[in-house]
Amino acid sequence: MTGSEPRTAPSAAPLTGPAAPCWVTLMTRDLKAAQRFYAEVLGWSFRPGRLGAEFSVARRGEVPVAGIFAVSSAYQVVVAWTPYFSVSDADRAAARVRERSGTVAVGPLTLGKGRGVLASDRDGAAFGLWERTEPSASPPAPDDHAHAWLRLRTRDAFDAAIFYGEVLDWASGLPGACDVAYEGDEVIVRCEGHPLARISSGAVEAAVDPVVRPRWQVQFPVEDLAGTVAAAERHGGAHVEELSVLGGKEVTLRDPDGALFTVTDVRGPVGPPAG
């Protein structure tokens, strides 16, 4: 682990298993090329998914890490990493998105063991909704390790927290609902006490640079940050941005097909406690 001591950082919310609050998916144009890149850069293996030949599940060991879905270049779909948040009723959650001036682009559609929605919030950040309709057979991530977490870069963190809180029942007090805390200039989302995401202000909706526009940033913790960045560059990726954060660094990379993702040597979304 480079730059931070993992035992001092709070464990992040696992994103697999039947009670997981979220799942992450990559939309790409070439499934095999994406598999080769992420196998070399992040050490993942892949298994076919239940959604057809153009879908696979990335794994670290036996634990599912992410879904990768290939779409034809004929479709006007942005190549991107997207978080899908767990909901009990996809129709109701999609209606809440529309009622709050967000956009529902696709769905709800029946997909495998659930129903999915692709949407964007009122500032344009894309996200998904996922209603599980069958039990999950996937093992959860180990209690002391999460394979990914999230950061929303948005125009106004407080406004975004209200939007997602109303759509996803955050801070509602309902069983299984995530909690929201305002810490400094950010909003921290915790599920069952584990941090899942940070929401930060300062994004610019009209920015030409996609890094600056409102977006959900998928972050993957790695043992060797410099080695991971070097591997990405060797295999056709690009170094986009590097930030020093509490407990270490975050490096945003662009894969060969154009999807942005972040690797970090910090253990969890909020970093280790001070001192």
Side-chain angles (χ1 to χ4, degrees), residues 16-141:
T16 58
C22 188
W23 174 247
V24 292
T25 296
L26 170 65
M27 194 74 74
T28 189
R29 284 182 284 256
D30 188 327
L31 180 61
K32 292 188 182 300
Q35 290 174 332
R36 288 193 297 270
F37 176 80
Y38 287 99
E40 293 290 346
V41 175
L42 296 177
W44 293 346
S45 60
F46 299 89
R47 293 184 185 176
R50 295 182 59 184
L51 303 182
E54 295 304 309
F55 181 79
S56 70
V57 177
R59 292 176 178 255
R60 179 182 288 123
E62 291 301 310
V63 178
V65 176
I68 299 184
F69 186 70
V71 293
S72 170
S73 58
Y75 293 101
Q76 299 299 312
V77 176
V78 175
V79 173
W81 280 98
T82 304
Y84 280 75
F85 295 99
S86 176
V87 295
S88 59
D89 186 325
D91 291 291
R92 183 175 62 191
R96 289 177 175 179
V97 171
R98 295 188 184 98
E99 289 165 1
R100 288 153 181 83
S101 301
T103 301
V104 173
V106 179
L109 296 177
T110 298
L111 299 167
K113 294 183 177 182
R115 302 175 70 234
V117 175
L118 183 61
S120 60
D121 64 25
R122 49 192 170 220
D123 288 327
F127 67 100
L129 305 168
W130 178 252
E131 175 193 351
R132 182 168 293 284
T133 56
E134 296 181 34
S136 171
S138 300

Side-chain angles (χ1 to χ4, degrees), residues 1-274:
M1 198 84 163
T2 303
S4 65
E5 171 52 55
R7 289 172 297 182
T8 64
S11 59
L15 305 190
T16 58
C22 188
W23 174 247
V24 292
T25 296
L26 170 65
M27 194 74 74
T28 189
R29 284 182 284 256
D30 188 327
L31 180 61
K32 292 188 182 300
Q35 290 174 332
R36 288 193 297 270
F37 176 80
Y38 287 99
E40 293 290 346
V41 175
L42 296 177
W44 293 346
S45 60
F46 299 89
R47 293 184 185 176
R50 295 182 59 184
L51 303 182
E54 295 304 309
F55 181 79
S56 70
V57 177
R59 292 176 178 255
R60 179 182 288 123
E62 291 301 310
V63 178
V65 176
I68 299 184
F69 186 70
V71 293
S72 170
S73 58
Y75 293 101
Q76 299 299 312
V77 176
V78 175
V79 173
W81 280 98
T82 304
Y84 280 75
F85 295 99
S86 176
V87 295
S88 59
D89 186 325
D91 291 291
R92 183 175 62 191
R96 289 177 175 179
V97 171
R98 295 188 184 98
E99 289 165 1
R100 288 153 181 83
S101 301
T103 301
V104 173
V106 179
L109 296 177
T110 298
L111 299 167
K113 294 183 177 182
R115 302 175 70 234
V117 175
L118 183 61
S120 60
D121 64 25
R122 49 192 170 220
D123 288 327
F127 67 100
L129 305 168
W130 178 252
E131 175 193 351
R132 182 168 293 284
T133 56
E134 296 181 34
S136 171
S138 300
D143 289 340
D144 62 346
H145 179 78
H147 47 251
W149 55 81
L150 308 171
R151 179 185 180 195
L152 174 61
R153 285 178 150 177
T154 189
R155 176 185 53 81
D156 185 310
F158 301 107
D159 183 69
I162 292 170
F163 173 86
Y164 286 98
E166 292 176 343
V167 170
L168 302 172
D169 285 325
W170 289 348
S172 65
L174 296 173
C178 295
D179 296 317
V180 174
Y182 299 92
E183 300 180 8
D185 294 330
E186 292 187 317
V187 174
I188 307 299
V189 182
R190 291 182 174 87
C191 301
E192 297 186 348
H194 297 281
L196 170 71
R198 295 156 50 208
I199 303 178
S200 306
S201 300
V204 180
E205 295 172 74
V208 175
D209 185 349
V211 174
V212 181
R213 290 199 296 268
R215 67 185 180 94
W216 278 100
Q217 183 184 60
V218 179
Q219 300 186 319
F220 299 105
V222 297
E223 296 292 331
D224 179 0
L225 184 60
T228 300
V229 173
E233 293 177 326
R234 283 198 307 273
H235 293 281
H239 183 294
V240 176
E241 180 184 55
E242 182 170 326
L243 297 174
S244 293
V245 296
L246 182 62
K249 292 182 179 180
E250 299 173 355
V251 178
T252 297
L253 301 168
R254 181 179 287 109
D255 74 16
D257 203 19
L260 297 171
F261 66 104
T262 298
V263 292
T264 178
D265 57 12
V266 179
R267 179 78 173 203
V270 298

